[in-house]
Amino acid sequence: APNISWIELTAYGGYKYVSLSLQVLLGLVTGGGILFWLAFLYLAGCAAFVTYECLRKVPVQPQSQELLKLVVIGFAGCQVVLCWMLVPSLVGRATVAAVPILP
């Protein structure tokens, strides 16, 4: 798309990393409790919604309309899984913190 600016490309490519940074910060503050997982569901859902809205506006041939719907929904759903994989696990953090570094 020759009419798209570099700032728009950066925003489309990096929007999920802002929410991931917030999730990591919240996970460090809360220790991975219920508030962390509620925020994760909300922010990962936001990433999926943005992906869905951006991709559903892609112009396509009329005969491939149904396939595009499935692909767009698949990519949007993958955003939640991707966010889950990119957020570090906070389960073992308490165990690691309990081990003394120096004898």
Side-chain angles (χ1 to χ4, degrees):
N3 295 338
I4 195 164
S5 69
W6 68 270
I7 194 80
E8 289 179 44
L9 286 175
T10 304
Y12 283 135
Y15 67 89
K16 78 173 68 74
Y17 299 107
V18 174
S19 66
L20 286 172
S21 298
L22 290 173
Q23 290 173 18
V24 169
L25 180 65
L26 188 62
L28 292 174
V29 170
T30 65
I34 188 79
L35 183 63
F36 169 77
W37 288 110
L38 288 174
F40 169 79
L41 288 175
Y42 174 74
L43 292 170
C46 288
F49 178 75
V50 168
T51 301
Y52 175 77
E53 286 297 315
C54 289
L55 290 179
R56 79 178 178 99
K57 297 175 183 168
V58 173
V60 295
Q61 304 287 336
Q63 62 266 24
S64 60
Q65 193 77 21
E66 288 301 316
L67 178 62
L68 177 69
K69 282 184 184 179
L70 293 175
V71 169
V72 167
I73 290 171
F75 275 128
C78 286
Q79 293 301 307
V80 177
V81 175
L82 180 64
C83 287
W84 179 73
M85 290 183 348
L86 290 174
V87 171
S89 174
L90 298 171
V91 175
R93 189 170 68 89
T95 306
V96 173
V99 176
I101 296 174
L102 297 173

